[in-house]
């Protein structure tokens, strides 16, 4: 893929495109603002999952769990609305397969229901606990299957999109997801939580059961791994800015 | 560790967006970015990798079927909860009603005092004594025999256990002789 095509593909994602070699060092203000807005949205989504004050119901996870344990259907519904999508996305990124991600997300919630009546909010937040269960289930699945992860491939095409642009974007998605799928699981989990889900470092470290320093090490190794894996398709772009 | 080294490590781990950086370091590192061209170069390199990672796209949200399947397995409403609540309330309520009944029921009025007449008192005493009955001990029977005086002193006639004292019978003369003859006969 040429630099021009890759840049175009990235630009069409609706997110900031990579900075091409000849671009000035500082980000163009619009792209920087766009990227910042994207990260802010991710962080807000993560906060909404964790923080009841953002939730329209203003009911904490602990309160919902107490009601869910009594079989309150509405409380269960709210917990599903609040957490199912993120757990599904997390598992799908780890496994590289949307259907398997659904299986894991469903199993996570079955365990949640099983423990709802006895749930005591001691220590970890509910979202941390859910991610940890999901990660363990993903590891078990990978352990059993030992297969190369397939592509979850985000279906981001929209009616009216230029077919060539869609093809280029999907090509890029395939490359990146394939590279992500070959990372060690703990590095992939770290990148998924911190980069794709906007989770704060302390919570991600807790999910992985490591210190924040160890998490930073996992993230750095994971990102270096991604850079190395994508060098063949985007090497010039990746090395463009820094000597 | 210099600030630039720390910035490099933060960029390697979290990428170029300060929103992803540790909150307590963000302000200092952003100030460094504003001052240092080298810092900005490092940031831009991290930004290019960020953009490439973003090219993975979002994971499509699961369909509503998944939420339906999950909710189908949600804990059932605890119907027994209400039953247990009643089961605990009913005995308590019953106990409360009983206690109320016992404490609020008026005691029977004491019988009006009756002035005892002499005849009535006598009759009542006799009736009471009749009800009690008469208890008679064997000793009473012995002591009631005519002619036996337990207070009569010793020594007595033909008494061989004088230390213990012997009853002295207050008998008529013929009876006394009869008793003496009988005693001799028993000794022989």
């Amino acid at each position: 893929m040429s630099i021009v095509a890759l840049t175009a593909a990235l630009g069409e994602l609706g997110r900031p495109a990579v900075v091409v070699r000849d671009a000035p060092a500082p980000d163009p203000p619009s792209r920087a603002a766009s990227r910042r807005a994207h990260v802010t949205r991710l962080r807000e989504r993560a906060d909404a999952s964790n923080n009841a004050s953002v939730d329209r119901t203003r009911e904490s996870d602990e309160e919902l769990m107490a009601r869910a344990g009594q079989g309150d259907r509405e409380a269960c519904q709210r917990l599903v609305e609040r957490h199912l999508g993120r757990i599904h996305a997390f598992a799908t990124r780890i496994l590289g397969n949307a259907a398997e991600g659904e299986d894991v997300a469903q199993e996570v919630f079955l365990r949640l229901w099983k423990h709802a009546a006895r749930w005591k909010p001691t220590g970890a937040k509910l979202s941390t606990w859910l991610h940890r269960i999901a990660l363990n289930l993903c590891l078990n699945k990978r352990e059993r299957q030992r297969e190369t992860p397939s592509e979850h491939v985000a279906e981001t095409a929209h009616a009216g999109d230029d077919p060539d642009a869609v093809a280029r974007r999907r090509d890029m998605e395939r490359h990146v997801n394939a590279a992500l799928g070959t990372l060690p699981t703990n590095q992939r989990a770290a990148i998924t939580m911190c980069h794709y889900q906007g989770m704060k470092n302390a919570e991600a470290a807790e999910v992985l059961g490591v210190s924040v320093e160890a998490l930073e090490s996992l993230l750095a190794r994971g990102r270096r791994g991604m850079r190395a894996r994508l060098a063949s398709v985007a090497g010039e772009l990746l090395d463009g800015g820094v000597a | 560790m210099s600030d630039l080294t720390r910035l490099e490590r933060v960029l390697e781990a979290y990428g170029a967006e300060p929103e992803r950086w540790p909150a307590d370091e963000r302000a200092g590192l952003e100030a460094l970015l504003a001052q240092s061209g080298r810092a900005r170069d490092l940031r831009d390199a991290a930004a290019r990798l960020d953009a490439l990672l973003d090219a993975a796209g979002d994971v499509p949200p699961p369909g509503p079927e998944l939420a339906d399947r999950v909710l189908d397995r949600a804990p059932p409403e605890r119907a027994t909860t209400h039953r247990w609540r009643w089961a605990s309330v009913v005995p308590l309520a019953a106990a409360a009603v009983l206690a109320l009944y016992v404490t609020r029921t008026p005691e029977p009025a004491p019988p009006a005092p009756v002035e005892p007449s002499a005849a009535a008192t006598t009759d009542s005493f006799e009736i009471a004594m009749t009800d009690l009955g008469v208890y008679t001990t064997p000793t009473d029977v012995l002591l009631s025999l005519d002619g036996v005086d337990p207070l009569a002193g010793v020594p007595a006639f033909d008494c061989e256990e004088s230390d213990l004292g012997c009853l002295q019978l207050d008998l008529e003369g013929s009876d006394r002789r009869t008793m003496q003859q009988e005693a001799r006969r028993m000794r022989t």
Side-chain angles (χ1 to χ4, degrees), chain A residues 93-204:
Chain A
R93 292 249 190 237
I94 300 297
L95 295 168
N97 183 293
E100 289 186 331
E102 284 197 9
D103 291 345
V104 166
Q106 181 173 330
E107 180 61 28
V108 168
F109 272 80
L110 294 189
R111 294 190 183 197
L112 180 68
W113 302 148
K114 191 175 170 188
H115 290 89
R118 300 192 302 275
W119 173 263
K120 288 198 174 86
T122 52
K125 287 184 289 194
L126 181 64
S127 72
T128 310
W129 187 79
L130 293 173
H131 277 85
R132 190 180 289 178
I133 299 292
L135 179 59
N136 287 338
L137 290 170
C138 289
L139 291 171
N140 291 342
K141 235 178 201 319
R142 291 295 294 272
E143 193 68 27
R144 282 199 302 272
Q145 295 172 346
R146 287 277 178 205
E147 66 181 19
T148 305
S150 54
E151 304 155 3
H152 77 262
V153 185
E155 297 295 336
T156 50
H158 300 287
D161 279 357
D162 173 15
D164 290 341
V166 171
R168 285 197 298 272
R169 189 164 59 224
R170 286 191 174 165
D171 192 38
M172 198 63 220
E173 286 175 359
R174 231 181 343 264
H175 283 301
V176 176
N177 283 309
L180 202 58
T182 59
L183 286 180
T185 306
N186 52 2
Q187 294 176 19
R188 188 163 62 252
I191 288 179
T192 298
M193 287 186 283
C194 291
H195 186 87
Y196 291 112
Q197 299 201 285
M199 193 182 277
K200 287 177 181 160
N201 57 358
E203 188 180 2

Side-chain angles (χ1 to χ4, degrees), chain A residues 10 13 15 25 35 43 73 77 93 106 110 113 154 173 177 195-196 201 216 219 223 237 241-242, chain B residues 6 12-15 17 19-20 41 44-45 48 50 52-58 69-71 73 78:
Chain A
L10 294 173
L13 287 169
R15 294 197 204 85
R35 189 165 59 223
R43 181 54 58 85
R73 181 83 176 181
Q77 176 89 38
R93 292 249 190 237
Q106 181 173 330
L110 294 189
W113 302 148
E173 286 175 359
N177 283 309
H195 186 87
Y196 291 112
N201 57 358
E216 287 183 358
L219 284 167
R223 286 171 65 91
L237 279 170
V242 179
Chain B
R6 177 57 187 157
E12 282 179 351
Y14 299 104
E17 279 308 315
E19 278 284 314
R20 292 190 171 108
D41 287 344
D44 294 341
R48 285 190 286 276
D50 284 350
L52 210 50
L53 290 175
D54 288 340
D58 289 332
R69 285 203 304 273
V70 165
L71 284 169
R73 306 281 294 274
R78 290 189 167 182

Side-chain angles (χ1 to χ4, degrees), chain A residues 41-106:
Chain A
R41 274 198 305 278
L42 283 177
R43 181 54 58 85
E44 283 174 355
R45 219 177 292 164
D47 287 345
S49 178
N50 288 330
N51 186 355
S53 67
V54 182
D55 190 83
R56 61 185 164 81
T57 65
R58 295 185 179 277
E59 207 167 2
S60 71
D61 281 343
E62 287 71 29
E63 290 167 325
L64 290 176
M65 282 296 284
R67 286 172 50 204
Q70 299 297 318
D72 186 320
R73 181 83 176 181
E74 187 195 2
C76 295
Q77 176 89 38
R78 289 198 181 149
L79 286 168
V80 167
E81 287 171 3
R82 201 178 279 181
H83 295 287
L84 182 64
R86 280 171 57 78
I87 294 300
H88 169 257
F90 176 70
T92 299
R93 292 249 190 237
I94 300 297
L95 295 168
N97 183 293
E100 289 186 331
E102 284 197 9
D103 291 345
V104 166
Q106 181 173 330

Side-chain angles (χ1 to χ4, degrees), chain B residues 16-132:
Chain B
E17 279 308 315
E19 278 284 314
R20 292 190 171 108
W21 298 350
D24 54 342
E25 297 179 89
R26 198 174 297 151
L29 295 175
E30 283 190 290
L32 180 61
L33 276 176
Q35 296 164 4
S36 166
R38 171 67 180 160
R40 285 193 294 275
D41 287 344
L42 292 169
R43 188 269 316 270
D44 294 341
R48 285 190 286 276
L49 182 57
D50 284 350
L52 210 50
L53 290 175
D54 288 340
D58 289 332
V59 174
E65 304 81 20
L66 177 61
D68 290 344
R69 285 203 304 273
V70 165
L71 284 169
D72 283 347
R73 306 281 294 274
E77 187 172 3
R78 290 189 167 182
T80 52
T81 302
H82 300 296
R83 283 205 294 272
W84 279 111
R85 201 170 290 158
W86 280 111
S88 61
V89 164
V90 166
L92 286 174
V97 168
L98 184 62
L100 200 64
Y101 174 77
V102 168
T103 56
R104 297 295 296 272
T105 303
E107 291 182 8
V114 178
E115 289 294 329
S117 64
T121 305
T122 305
D123 290 346
S124 299
F125 178 76
E126 285 177 355
I127 291 168
M129 293 308 292
T130 304
D131 288 343
L132 286 173

